[in-house]
Amino acid sequence: MNYYSRVIAGVCFCGLASHSAAQVLVENAWVQLAPPAINVNAVYMQIHNPQLRLQTIVSVSADCCAKAMLHNTRKLGDKVVMEHLDYLELPAQANVQLAPGGMHIMLMEPDAELTLESKVKLTFSYSDGSTQEFGLDVKNNDL
Ligand SMILES: [Cu+2]
């Protein structure tokens, strides 16, 4: 093996090492406190995929709630509707925003109403079968 091919092998090894590391990084992840008697909560965050390959979230779940779904907010004429997304693609080395008025995670059928004291454990399941967990706080709109 000459020097050049050793360097290439080293690069490949680094690539494999990062492949098994944390799948994505999330920033500013929070659960929006819902108005009284509304028993669904939206989750917002910025997701960064540090890897050199596309990653796809195929399902989400949360320990607080029987159901969690990926949603997109869309304007349909003068109405605002939410549509279910079957998956969420995270392009290589890019950011994806889950933000009010756009994509979000919807938490439904909570075991108990979420309050500002609640902690939520959110799990992403990826198309390669791996999973990743995040701990989230519940916050008010204006925070
Ligand atoms: Cu929604």
Side-chain angles (χ1 to χ4, degrees):
M1 190 189 280
N2 63 27
Y3 173 73
Y4 186 68
S5 64
R6 271 205 303 276
V7 171
I8 296 295
V11 168
C12 289
F13 179 76
C14 291
L16 287 173
S18 68
H19 177 87
S20 60
Q23 292 95 332
V24 302
L25 305 168
V26 307
E27 267 183 44
N28 303 320
W30 59 291
V31 180
Q32 186 177 41
L33 186 71
I38 301 292
N39 62 352
V40 296
N41 294 76
V43 178
Y44 303 113
M45 64 180 70
Q46 177 172 299
I47 306 173
H48 178 68
N49 176 7
Q51 301 204 15
L52 297 171
R53 62 190 173 93
L54 174 91
Q55 297 192 88
T56 305
I57 297 171
V58 292
S59 71
V60 291
S61 63
D63 64 349
C64 61
C65 305
K67 278 169 84 176
M69 288 172 113
L70 291 161
H71 274 181
N72 193 23
T73 309
R74 280 210 311 151
K75 271 202 160 154
L76 214 65
D78 56 355
K79 277 192 205 154
V80 175
V81 297
M82 292 194 291
E83 60 183 9
H84 170 66
L85 302 173
D86 289 327
Y87 56 88
L88 178 60
E89 289 191 329
L90 308 170
Q93 300 195 299
N95 294 323
V96 172
Q97 290 281 355
L98 305 187
M103 291 188 293
H104 55 278
I105 293 164
M106 203 93 232
L107 305 180
M108 289 166 285
E109 301 176 23
D111 304 332
E113 189 177 337
L114 295 182
T115 69
L116 293 174
E117 283 73 47
S118 303
K119 303 284 180 204
V120 173
K121 190 169 77 183
L122 188 73
T123 303
F124 287 169
S125 298
Y126 298 94
S127 57
D128 65 1
S130 64
T131 61
Q132 191 176 8
E133 287 179 359
F134 305 93
L136 307 182
D137 291 328
V138 179
K139 295 183 182 178
N140 268 314
N141 275 351
D142 45 14
L143 292 180

